[in-house]
């Protein structure tokens, strides 16, 4: 039997038999080389309670070249692209070793959620948010977990105002958005500009309102 | 015309080409012969190497095998000093980018940390078996040599990578991470072929040990994975490439799929590039510049000036042309102004100077003549136009050199067409006259020479643009003019119609002119290169690397 197929089959079987790790791998279509992995968000993190799905593509030269993985579930994390789900993790690139398995790689992703590395970011805007205000970042990440990964409702946001969502997704304060919306700018544009300029936490004091208006007028 | 230089024996002159080609094919014995490809001096059949001309640079084309021999010398040297085997020495050298001095220094300082970093030994390995720092490594390497041969295990076990439980042949580096031979081979192949990586690390996670060359080679051979030997070949090529790129004396021939390397120690430092133009040719007679990637042969101009000129051309030419035809300068602050409508009363946006667009004189003298200017000869206007013409002059000066430069470049681009035309002419000659194929080769030779000289001429304009005014520049431009005149004469001859009656005189003329042109080219190249060596040239601008 083809060594790659044998190995992948064994890895899938191993994962099925292992009930303790909570990591699941399932087929997407008939091919054993396109899979979907999933794992629960780690405890004591903003991702707790969420269920995260990962798209797995096994290259021809697996296991000698790394698997290709990206998040299907949207994740708010400095090392994961908030748009595409692309992951920045050394073992998926040059630190890959053929000894690593799908399961061990998924466990590594799980632990990446526990320990973000904002100095080597995949998503620069999210990383900026993380370094400016950890508290505000956690809140946004928790909110994303809630709405995208089926996490428990965030207490503070239980009273949902209809327009609250997109502001929270962008990790911004409602008061700030309202302030500029009051000047007559479109809400979506305000959110976009404030997110891009990282108008959050301590950084608010550093950005002159004129600057924002200037950006809004562009 | 050419009477100063007697190259009477024409047959010799043409045979030469073929000799060159065969010398180029011979990769085992590259010699100095290859250097003089483009000159005529070696038309004489001299048994010894023709003397190197002063504008040519000493260099040596090396075949891959020759580079491998250089590598082996370094490896043997280190292996002798450290008392380690060759493959360990090779790993250490590659880790230090083939810097022997630094390696020796660091290794003497802390041998085990260097060995660990180079992937020769594992960090924990040092303590268990042997005590005392020095002998460990030699015993360690010896141990590894033994282990490189596959150890057939009595009963089959499961390889942790492919999960095949029927494998009997397992291999491990000195770290004892053992995997089956087919996984090793597949892994090595994928690293070498797909990633172009010559340092193949152990497959275990986080293990930094690098597989020594014999391990790589024997695994590939024993596994049957590399039947056509291409992976092995590629591995060897990667090692050579790494060696060449780490060594400033060596450069790869940039031509596609050429495997030659050129050694040119005299052009290895940046400062040397201000005194010479390191145009070299590899064993397959591909010509390239050892110092830069600008042009394969930008003689007589040195790399920094050629670079400056190209940058200027890219930035300026189009803009300069447009500025010249559409703008004038403010007569006070010299900012460039485009008049996009309105009357002749101009106010400079920058310095607020008010002037007349027609006579360029200050507006204060104009009174109320808004749409016409009848004061062309007033003093204020004449002065202003003087100042303007000065600034225009610098632009015109640039365009003068640029247009000539571009002209020669253009004709080089048209050379293919000229070749085809000449070939047709040569056929025609064979039909209309009694000349044989070999006898009409003078046309081809002339075209080649003209093209070569145009390449030189092209770059002389870059040089002249930056040369400071003075006797030196005048001498340079004299040489340039002589060459240009000769080349144009030759080109004209090549264009002239073929008449069976005059064909023999034409042939004589073209041959003479070709020799003359070649000689003029040589004179120019030699004089310029001597000038660089003597630091005779003075520039009108600060040039990188010059004082």
């Amino acid at each position: 039997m083809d060594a790659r197929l044998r190995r992948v089959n064994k890895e899938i079987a191993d994962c099925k038999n292992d009930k303790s790790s909570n990591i699941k791998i399932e087929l997407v279509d008939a091919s054993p080389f396109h899979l979907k992995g999933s794992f629960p968000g780690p405890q004591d993190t903003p991702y707790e309670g969420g269920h995260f799905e990962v798209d797995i593509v096994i290259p021809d030269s697996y296991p000698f070249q790394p698997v290709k993985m990206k998040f299907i579930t949207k994740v708010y994390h400095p090392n994961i692209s908030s748009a595409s789900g692309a992951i920045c993790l050394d073992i998926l690139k040059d630190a890959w070793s053929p000894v690593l398995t799908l399961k061990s790689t998924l466990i590594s992703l799980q632990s990446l959620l526990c320990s973000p590395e904002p100095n080597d970011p995949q998503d620069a805007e999210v990383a900026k948010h993380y370094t400016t205000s950890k508290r505000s970042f956690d809140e946004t990440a928790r909110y994303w977990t809630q709405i995208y990964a089926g996490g428990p409702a965030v207490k503070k946001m239980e009273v949902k105002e209809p327009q609250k969502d997109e502001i929270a997704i962008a990790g911004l304060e409602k008061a700030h958005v309202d302030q500029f919306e009051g000047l007559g700018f479109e809400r979506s544009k305000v959110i976009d500009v404030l997110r891009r300029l990282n108008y959050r936490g301590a950084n608010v004091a550093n950005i002159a309102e004129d600057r924002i208006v200037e950006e809004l007028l562009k | 015309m050419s009477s100063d230089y007697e190259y009477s024996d024409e047959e010799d002159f043409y045979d030469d080409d073929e000799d060159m080609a065969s010398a180029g094919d011979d990769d085992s014995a590259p010699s100095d012969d290859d250097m003089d490809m483009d000159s005529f001096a070696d038309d004489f059949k001299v048994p010894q190497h023709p003397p190197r001309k002063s504008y040519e640079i000493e260099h040596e084309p090396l075949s891959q095998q020759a580079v491998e021999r250089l590598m082996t010398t370094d490896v043997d040297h280190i292996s002798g000093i450290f008392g380690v085997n060759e493959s360990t020495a090779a790993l250490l050298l590659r880790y230090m980018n083939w810097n022997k001095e630094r390696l020796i220094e660091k290794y003497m300082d802390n041998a085990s940390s260097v060995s660990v970093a180079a992937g020769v030994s594992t960090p924990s390995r040092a303590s268990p078996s042997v005590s005392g720092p020095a002998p460990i490594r030699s015993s360690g390497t010896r141990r590894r040599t033994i282990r490189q041969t596959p150890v057939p295990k009595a009963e089959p076990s499961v390889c942790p990578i492919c999960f095949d439980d029927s494998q009997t042949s397992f291999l491990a580096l000195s770290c004892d991470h053992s995997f089956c031979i087919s996984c090793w081979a597949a892994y090595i192949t994928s690293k070498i072929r797909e990633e172009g990586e010559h340092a193949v690390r152990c497959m275990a996670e986080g293990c930094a040990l690098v597989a020594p060359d014999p391990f790589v080679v024997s695994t590939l051979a024993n596994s049957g994975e590399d039947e056509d030997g291409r992976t092995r070949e590629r591995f060897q090529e990667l090692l050579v490439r790494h060696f060449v790129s780490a060594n400033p004396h060596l450069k790869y021939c940039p031509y596609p799929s050429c495997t030659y390397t050129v050694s040119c120690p005299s052009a290895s430092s940046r400062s040397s590039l201000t005194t010479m133009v390191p145009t070299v040719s590899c064993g397959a007679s591909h010509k390239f510049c050892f110092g830069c990637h600008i042009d394969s042969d930008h003689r007589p101009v040195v790399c920094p000036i050629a670079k400056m000129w190209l940058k200027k051309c890219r930035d300026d030419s189009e803009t300069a042309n447009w500025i010249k035809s559409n703008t004038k300068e403010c007569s006070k602050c010299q900012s460039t102004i485009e008049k996009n409508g309105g009357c002749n009363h101009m106010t400079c946006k920058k310095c607020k100077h008010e002037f007349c667009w027609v006579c360029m004189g200050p507006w204060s003298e104009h009174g109320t003549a808004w749409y016409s200017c009848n004061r062309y000869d007033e003093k204020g206007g004449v002065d202003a136009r003087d100042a303007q013409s000065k600034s225009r002059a610098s632009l015109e000066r640039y365009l003068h050199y640029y247009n000539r430069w571009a002209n020669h470049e253009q004709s080089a681009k048209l050379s293919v067409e000229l070749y085809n035309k000449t070939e047709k002419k040569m056929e025609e000659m064979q039909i209309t006259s009694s000349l044989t194929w070999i006898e009409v080769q003078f046309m081809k030779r002339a075209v080649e020479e003209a093209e070569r000289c145009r390449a030189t001429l092209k770059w002389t304009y870059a040089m002249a643009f930056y040369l400071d005014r003075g006797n030196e520049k005048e001498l340079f431009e004299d040489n340039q003019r002589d060459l240009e005149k000769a080349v144009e004469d030759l080109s004209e001859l090549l264009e002239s119609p073929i008449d069976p009656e005059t064909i023999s005189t034409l042939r004589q003329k073209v041959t003479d002119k070709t020799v003359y042109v070649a000689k003029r080219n040589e004179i120019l190249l030699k004089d310029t290169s001597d000038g660089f060596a003597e630091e005779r040239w003075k520039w009108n601008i600060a040039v990188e690397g010059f004082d």
Side-chain angles (χ1 to χ4, degrees):
Chain A
M1 195 180 14
D2 175 21
R4 176 171 78 127
L5 185 62
R6 178 174 54 227
R7 160 134 176 181
V8 172
N9 283 341
K10 172 121 175 15
E11 284 194 42
I12 297 172
D14 277 358
C15 223
K16 273 215 178 88
N17 298 335
D18 181 9
K19 298 280 182 281
S20 60
S21 67
N22 279 327
I23 290 188
K24 287 194 186 67
I25 297 175
E26 48 199 284
L27 295 175
V28 174
D29 43 39
S31 158
F33 303 122
H34 186 194
L35 306 167
K36 191 169 83 178
S38 61
F39 57 83
Q43 286 180 355
D44 301 323
T45 67
Y47 310 101
E48 186 176 353
H51 174 80
F52 294 91
E53 294 190 334
V54 179
D55 181 68
I56 303 170
V57 174
I58 299 188
D60 288 344
S61 43
Y62 183 81
F64 306 108
Q65 294 291 322
V67 282
K68 296 189 171 68
M69 288 193 178
K70 68 174 190 192
F71 274 96
I72 300 169
T73 313
K74 275 171 92 71
V75 188
Y76 200 72
H77 186 284
N79 306 107
I80 300 162
S81 163
S82 57
S84 68
I87 304 159
C88 177
L89 183 63
D90 56 353
I91 60 160
L92 289 176
K93 291 172 186 128
D94 41 344
W96 169 259
S97 148
V99 184
L100 293 171
T101 60
L102 297 177
K103 193 173 96 182
S104 66
T105 312
L106 287 170
I107 291 173
S108 300
L109 287 185
Q110 202 176 18
S111 71
L112 178 69
L113 294 186
C114 301
S115 44
E117 189 53 69
N119 295 325
D120 183 18
Q122 170 80 33
D123 194 311
E125 279 182 17
V126 178
K128 248 192 274 166
H129 191 184
Y130 182 91
T131 43
T132 345
S133 167
K134 179 75 167 56
R135 200 187 52 80
S136 157
F137 165 86
D138 281 351
E139 220 167 81
T140 310
R142 204 169 291 127
Y143 188 64
W144 278 50
T145 308
Q146 181 206 329
I147 59 168
Y148 295 121
V154 185
K155 265 182 247 144
K156 217 181 115 188
M157 296 171 184
E158 268 167 354
V159 200
K160 268 197 202 157
E161 302 154 47
Q163 78 267 51
K164 180 80 193 182
D165 296 15
E166 47 187 336
I167 299 172
I169 288 171
L172 298 165
E173 298 279 332
K174 186 173 182 308
H176 294 144
V177 177
D178 286 348
Q179 177 192 348
F180 290 99
E181 207 184 356
L183 295 175
F185 294 104
E186 233 174 88
R187 169 193 292 266
S188 58
K189 197 162 185 194
V190 173
I191 291 173
D192 189 50
V193 166
L194 292 185
R195 196 192 63 223
R196 213 153 16 89
L197 295 176
N198 193 20
Y199 199 71
R200 293 156 182 142
N203 217 15
V204 169
N206 299 335
I207 304 174
E209 288 181 11
D210 288 355
R211 169 83 202 286
I212 294 166
V213 173
E214 210 172 277
E215 287 288 321
L216 282 167
L217 285 170
K218 270 185 189 168
Chain B
M1 279 201 250
S2 66
S3 52
D4 294 356
Y5 311 104
E6 273 304 325
Y7 293 87
S8 49
D9 191 342
E10 282 172 34
E11 283 339 304
D12 244 1
F13 172 73
Y14 296 128
D15 281 345
D16 186 52
D17 220 357
E18 278 154 358
D19 282 6
M20 279 314 181
S22 61
D25 291 339
D26 183 3
D27 59 349
S28 59
S31 68
D32 291 353
D33 293 286
D34 301 347
M35 298 192 302
D36 295 338
M37 293 305 300
D38 52 333
S39 64
F40 269 52
D42 44 13
D43 291 334
F44 298 114
K45 290 282 165 186
V46 196
Q48 305 91 358
H49 298 319
R52 190 167 56 84
K53 297 193 199 72
S54 68
Y55 61 85
E56 282 170 340
I57 187 162
E58 200 168 335
H59 66 279
E60 190 189 354
L62 301 168
S63 63
Q64 181 159 334
Q65 289 82 353
V67 179
E68 278 165 23
R69 276 197 294 278
L70 287 180
M71 269 165 67
T72 317
T73 319
D74 276 4
V75 167
D76 287 346
H77 183 204
I78 288 298
S79 128
I81 294 178
F82 293 171
V84 297
N85 63 21
E86 282 87 5
S87 56
T88 308
L91 290 184
L92 289 169
L93 274 166
R94 274 176 228 152
Y95 166 66
M96 292 303 285
N97 265 325
W98 296 92
N99 188 331
K100 267 200 280 188
E101 287 70 31
R102 283 229 12 239
L103 173 61
I104 293 171
E105 197 181 297
K106 280 203 147 185
Y107 197 81
M108 291 308 174
D109 196 35
N110 190 344
S112 55
S113 82
V114 176
S115 302
V116 168
V120 171
S121 59
T122 45
S124 54
R125 202 72 200 165
S127 41
S129 47
V130 203
S131 57
I136 300 173
R137 274 174 315 282
S138 49
S139 71
T141 48
R142 213 170 296 133
R143 203 180 318 137
R144 181 168 336 107
T145 4
I146 296 162
R147 210 163 272 156
Q148 273 153 22
T149 49
V151 193
K153 291 199 176 172
E155 49 194 75
S157 46
V158 182
C159 168
I161 289 177
C162 60
F163 297 129
D164 188 350
D165 48 13
S166 60
Q167 286 288 340
T168 50
S169 183
F170 279 77
L171 298 175
L173 300 175
S174 63
C175 53
D176 279 336
H177 297 126
S178 139
F179 306 101
C180 79
I181 186 166
S182 38
C183 281
W184 266 115
Y187 174 67
I188 290 171
T189 308
S190 131
K191 279 278 167 195
I192 292 173
R193 297 289 285 271
E194 285 177 37
E195 291 178 40
E197 179 63 67
H198 61 81
V200 180
R201 294 185 179 277
C202 171
M203 288 195 278
E205 192 197 354
C207 182
L209 222 57
V210 177
D213 303 356
F215 182 91
V216 172
V217 172
S218 70
T219 306
L220 285 175
N222 295 336
S223 67
E225 174 90 10
D226 184 32
E227 271 169 355
D228 53 2
R230 277 177 56 200
T231 308
R232 220 216 114 144
E233 230 168 70
R234 176 85 179 125
F235 179 59
Q236 201 60 35
E237 196 185 306
L238 288 171
L239 295 181
V240 170
R241 261 178 203 274
H242 181 248
F243 177 73
V244 169
S245 63
N247 193 330
H249 299 183
L250 300 177
K251 274 228 165 90
Y252 248 106
C253 172
Y255 283 75
S257 73
C258 179
T259 58
Y260 272 98
T261 301
V262 171
S263 160
C264 184
S266 44
S268 60
S269 73
R270 274 179 77 81
S271 59
S272 67
L273 295 179
T274 60
T275 54
M276 58 166 117
V277 189
T279 305
V280 297
S281 63
C282 80
S285 37
H286 298 136
K287 219 193 275 177
F288 65 99
C289 175
F290 199 86
C292 66
H293 307 286
I294 293 172
D295 199 349
S296 56
D297 183 1
H298 55 75
R299 286 180 294 185
V301 175
V302 290
C303 303
I305 295 204
K307 204 159 113 196
M308 255 168 56
W309 171 254
L310 281 190
K311 187 172 181 302
K312 185 167 177 60
C313 292
R314 261 200 304 276
D315 296 351
D316 287 1
S317 326
E318 288 312 307
T319 323
N321 272 321
W322 188 88
I323 288 175
K324 187 170 168 252
S325 47
N326 293 295
T327 68
K328 292 185 181 179
E329 276 95 33
C330 163
S331 48
K332 200 168 168 204
C333 74
Q334 309 301 330
S335 354
T336 313
I337 295 169
E338 178 195 10
K339 186 176 187 294
N340 56 5
C343 71
N344 290 324
H345 180 183
M346 306 296 289
T347 306
C348 174
K349 263 208 172 142
K350 225 173 186 175
C351 67
K352 308 291 175 220
H353 176 60
E354 293 179 51
F355 63 95
C356 164
W357 184 254
V358 177
C359 73
M360 299 304 287
W363 191 257
S364 52
E365 298 169 7
H366 258 73
T368 51
W370 290 84
Y371 289 100
S372 63
C373 175
N374 52 3
R375 303 170 61 86
Y376 195 76
D377 295 327
E378 291 293 323
K379 190 181 171 298
V382 173
D383 287 352
R385 285 199 299 278
D386 271 356
Q388 162 128 34
S389 64
K390 250 179 224 156
S391 91
R392 283 286 129 146
S394 86
L395 202 66
E396 300 229 351
R397 180 173 168 276
Y398 164 67
L399 285 174
H400 166 93
Y401 290 104
Y402 176 76
N403 288 335
R404 279 155 187 78
W405 187 83
N407 182 27
H408 284 297
E409 175 149 277
Q410 182 63 21
S411 44
K413 276 183 193 147
L414 294 174
S415 64
V416 182
E417 207 175 304
L418 187 63
Y419 265 121
N420 295 339
K421 243 165 71 186
T422 310
E423 226 143 64
K424 257 194 211 128
K425 252 189 179 169
M426 283 159 64
E427 276 169 30
E428 210 183 312
M429 277 183 186
Q430 287 179 67
I431 298 164
T432 53
S433 71
S434 58
L435 293 176
T436 63
W437 181 81
I438 198 90
E439 284 168 321
V440 296
Q441 291 301 307
F442 74 91
M443 284 293 279
K444 196 167 164 239
R445 189 76 188 197
V447 171
E448 280 167 6
E449 194 55 51
E451 200 193 316
R452 200 155 28 226
C453 292
R454 281 194 191 277
T456 310
L457 276 172
K458 176 176 104 177
W459 286 106
T460 58
Y461 284 105
M463 172 125 176
F465 178 76
Y466 289 115
L467 271 182
D468 206 10
R469 238 183 281 173
N471 287 341
E472 301 299 346
K473 182 173 186 180
E474 270 175 38
L475 287 174
F476 179 80
E477 286 185 328
D478 282 350
N479 277 330
Q480 183 189 38
R481 189 199 54 221
D482 289 348
L483 177 60
E484 185 144 48
K485 169 116 186 20
V487 171
E488 294 306 337
D489 286 351
L490 180 62
S491 296
E492 200 184 325
L493 280 178
L494 289 175
E495 299 280 335
S496 61
I498 298 169
D499 186 352
E501 319 245 302
T502 59
I503 204 156
S504 59
T505 35
L506 179 69
R507 177 170 176 233
Q508 190 55 46
K509 268 190 192 164
V510 168
T511 313
D512 285 350
K513 205 73 190 174
T514 308
V515 174
Y516 176 68
V517 159
K519 203 67 203 175
R520 287 253 56 109
N521 189 19
E522 198 172 298
I523 289 169
L524 190 141
L525 288 175
K526 180 175 180 318
D527 181 64
T528 319
S529 120
D530 289 351
F532 279 116
E534 296 159 12
E535 296 178 21
R536 192 194 323 145
W537 306 119
K538 298 280 170 279
W539 310 106
N540 53 22
I541 189 171
V543 182
E544 183 195 345
F546 289 85
D547 303 326

